[in-house]
Amino acid sequence: GQAPSTGQVTEIVKTFAQEGNTLSPAQFYSMIKTFDWANEQFISSMAENAYEVTFEKEVLGFTVKNTEGTGTIIVNRIVDAENEGKIWLGDTVLAINGAPLGWV
């Protein structure tokens, strides 16, 4: 699978959030259970260079930093050598464990 784009995550959250751009745990649970992840429009609008990584360890093995002005979160250091080739410096992190990351 591929990770959704920031725009897609924003639209998904807007659909399920009752106020603002945040979700309560109950709203997040509802979103994950009811969102149509196989929707053709959703899949076709994903970025071509997006990818998904599964980490087997409890600790992710990389550090991130906030990109000033955009609020995006990028990989700035790979700590665990097993992550070399799985992720790269400068990659944008869209979600962790399925939880989308918003403006930080």
Side-chain angles (χ1 to χ4, degrees):
Q2 293 181 343
S5 70
T6 302
Q8 289 170 320
V9 170
T10 300
E11 290 306 312
I12 293 168
V13 170
K14 281 182 188 176
T15 302
F16 289 88
Q18 292 177 358
E19 45 184 87
N21 65 349
T22 60
L23 298 173
S24 70
Q27 290 169 321
F28 179 76
Y29 179 79
S30 174
M31 177 188 78
I32 294 301
K33 287 293 194 185
T34 61
F35 185 77
D36 181 9
W37 298 99
N39 178 288
E40 190 59 40
Q41 182 179 358
F42 172 74
I43 293 170
S44 67
S45 65
M46 290 207 211
E48 289 181 18
N49 60 353
Y51 64 94
E52 181 177 327
V53 176
T54 301
F55 298 95
E56 303 301 326
K57 297 179 180 177
E58 186 176 316
V59 177
L60 296 176
F62 63 93
T63 63
V64 296
K65 70 177 182 179
N66 182 15
T67 305
E68 194 171 330
T70 65
T72 57
I73 300 167
I74 63 169
V75 175
N76 72 330
R77 188 165 55 108
I78 299 172
V79 179
D80 187 338
E82 290 182 25
N83 287 338
E84 295 288 341
K86 285 179 153 181
I87 58 174
W88 290 266
L89 296 178
D91 282 358
T92 300
V93 180
L94 299 175
I96 295 178
N97 292 338
L101 302 175
W103 182 276
V104 176

